[in-house]
Amino acid sequence: MKARFFKVIHEPRSLMLIGCTLTGISFIVLRLSWIVCISLVPIFLYLKKSGNRERKTIIKDFYIGGFILSGFANLFLFQMSPENWNIGITGWVTVVARLIAWFLVCSFGALAYAGIGFLIACFKSVQSRILILPFFFPLAELLRSYLFAFMAYGPQGSFSPNFQWGSLAVPGSGTPLIYSTRILGFFGLTFLIIVINLSVYLLTQRRIYPATMLALAVCLTTVVGWKIGSSNGLERSIHVSVLHLSAEDEITIDEREALNPQNTDILVLPEYSAIEKNLNKPMLLNNLKKNGVAITSIVYGKSPQGTNRIIYLNKNGDVLTKQDKTFLIPTGEVLPYSLQLSFKTIGKGWVNDAFKYTQQLKKGDRPEEVFVTKDNIALGTLACSGVSALNEYSRLTSEGASILVNSASLSFLTENSLYHVYAHNMARFQAVSNNRPLAQASRSGESYILDNQGRVLVESSGQNRQVLSASVRLPH
């Protein structure tokens, strides 16, 4: 029995399944992000045994592996709470809706990995197949992000590579390799992860010299990236506070209770905090500095023409400026055409109209802009799941943002959703790759303040109301 077991796990397809399953675990367990640095070794062993496999078999194997990767990365879809929608979905439809969304995402995403299989099968040499995998994998991830965008596209949606569920760079952002993104970027981190796995594979083959050279190259890139962040002239400190709320909380704090500590420069409030309607907002914002600013986001108008609007408030509660969100979230603010078709197919077409007039939002006419306070603090703010947008914070950084801000509401997910693992790693990526501190205030989910090196200065504990504060250093 034991011999038969080891024979099975050494079968080429079994090696592919093992490698993708181990990698999938790194997507859903934050403390096991480091597994991604060794989890792909079985796939290299698969390639070693792939010499006699037919092209269609290799393509099929990679498709199955890609489905597993996408399956783990998108498990959070089963933790969405349709009961938090305003469209009255109940009963079996809630289960079917999640299952359809998950299956569509995994099926489309796996096509990109089937593309890896096709390209690899074009090479007859096993050694060539092994050496080209680091180059093909990032390309497959880029294609997968566009496939997801296509599947998730809907009214007012975005067709962009901003959706990175399933990328190796996400768990990689939970490791020291994250510093390499300052040199290689997001997909460069995927490349580096494949390279470090290749180094481990070569060690298993007793090829010490090439394995050592590859590992040294990875370490050097990482150290240089870290050094960029540790010596970039961070001379100015400001005081930042974030308010964390549970899914049901409102800002009903008695005016005598301090909402934020004294002399706060920036106060970040969760999405839909409703502070703009609070008659006591001057009292609630009393502890801001003279030129301090509070940030939140609101729903302005009614669906389908309403917008998710970021607003900046001064110490007196006056609105300084406002910006409408442009990056809308599938199933949260826009219903993908694929799901609309699915609801019609199962005889629930009424859901589409219900969503349109209760959830659908209109995206802003122009991208969010950097707002500069009177104290010359340049704020780059996004609303909702802004950390998941791959390119938006880098755009704001290039436009002069000195601190990145996210006003979020994640109450459409369960409190311990696996999405929070993804969001945490992506927040760290945004802070490190852009070399800027990041502050997120969330309704449900997680709130935190990170420095430019991705270190967590403060973070929420549980889902009770809490105020988090820290001093952060800004670039000059």
Side-chain angles (χ1 to χ4, degrees), residues 82-297:
E83 58 270 18
N84 289 340
W85 291 359
N86 298 319
I87 55 180
I89 293 182
T90 57
W92 66 270
V93 182
T94 64
V95 178
V96 171
R98 300 173 193 177
L99 182 60
I100 290 174
W102 179 82
F103 183 78
L104 287 173
V105 168
C106 296
S107 298
F108 270 76
L111 291 173
Y113 300 96
I116 298 180
F118 173 81
L119 293 173
I120 281 179
C122 292
F123 293 81
K124 300 301 181 183
S125 166
V126 168
Q127 184 174 0
S128 298
R129 292 176 177 180
I130 291 172
L131 294 178
I132 62 176
L133 185 64
F135 300 95
F136 284 165
F137 220 96
L139 294 176
E141 288 191 347
L142 179 62
L143 175 59
R144 180 203 46 76
S145 65
Y146 275 108
L147 288 171
F148 179 89
F150 174 78
M151 187 279 301
Y153 190 76
Q156 303 295 324
S158 302
F159 186 71
S160 64
N162 272 323
F163 304 98
Q164 293 304 323
W165 294 289
S167 171
L168 302 181
V170 176
S173 294
T175 73
L177 296 179
I178 179 63
Y179 300 113
S180 67
T181 58
R182 291 172 175 155
I183 302 170
L184 302 177
F186 186 81
F187 295 108
L189 177 54
T190 292
F191 173 81
L192 221 60
I193 289 169
I194 303 292
V195 169
I196 199 67
N197 275 273
L198 175 57
S199 176
V200 176
Y201 162 76
L202 291 174
L203 283 176
T204 67
Q205 305 301 304
R206 298 182 181 180
R207 300 181 64 181
I208 307 300
Y209 179 76
T212 303
M213 291 298 101
L214 288 176
L216 286 175
V218 171
C219 291
L220 179 62
T221 305
T222 302
V223 170
V224 171
W226 174 83
K227 189 66 176 177
I228 291 173
S230 65
S231 59
N232 69 338
L234 300 180
E235 297 178 350
R236 182 186 182 189
S237 292
I238 65 169
H239 197 80
V240 179
S241 297
V242 301
L243 173 66
H244 181 83
L245 297 176
S246 71
E248 297 80 19
D249 267 338
E250 295 180 1
I251 299 183
T252 57
I253 304 176
D254 186 277
E255 58 265 26
R256 293 169 296 178
E257 182 180 346
L259 176 63
N260 52 293
Q262 292 281 349
N263 298 319
T264 293
D265 293 281
I266 302 298
L267 170 64
V268 187
L269 303 172
E271 196 172 14
Y272 316 136
S273 65
I275 193 172
E276 79 285 355
K277 300 177 182 177
N278 196 309
L279 297 178
N280 294 317
K281 58 185 175 183
M283 287 280 191
L284 294 171
L285 300 176
N286 187 55
N287 284 340
L288 284 175
K289 284 185 178 178
K290 178 181 178 181
N291 295 322
V293 171
I295 307 162
T296 190
S297 58

Side-chain angles (χ1 to χ4, degrees), residues 44-117:
F44 281 107
L45 294 171
Y46 166 89
L47 292 176
K48 180 184 177 183
K49 296 174 176 286
S50 68
N52 296 323
R53 295 179 80 76
E54 297 181 358
R55 171 176 294 184
K56 63 180 182 181
T57 303
I58 294 175
I59 294 173
K60 182 179 179 180
D61 291 344
F62 271 92
Y63 181 84
I64 294 172
F67 192 96
I68 292 173
L69 289 177
S70 296
F72 273 98
N74 292 281
L75 280 175
F76 72 90
L77 292 175
F78 291 104
Q79 299 171 315
M80 295 176 65
S81 302
E83 58 270 18
N84 289 340
W85 291 359
N86 298 319
I87 55 180
I89 293 182
T90 57
W92 66 270
V93 182
T94 64
V95 178
V96 171
R98 300 173 193 177
L99 182 60
I100 290 174
W102 179 82
F103 183 78
L104 287 173
V105 168
C106 296
S107 298
F108 270 76
L111 291 173
Y113 300 96
I116 298 180

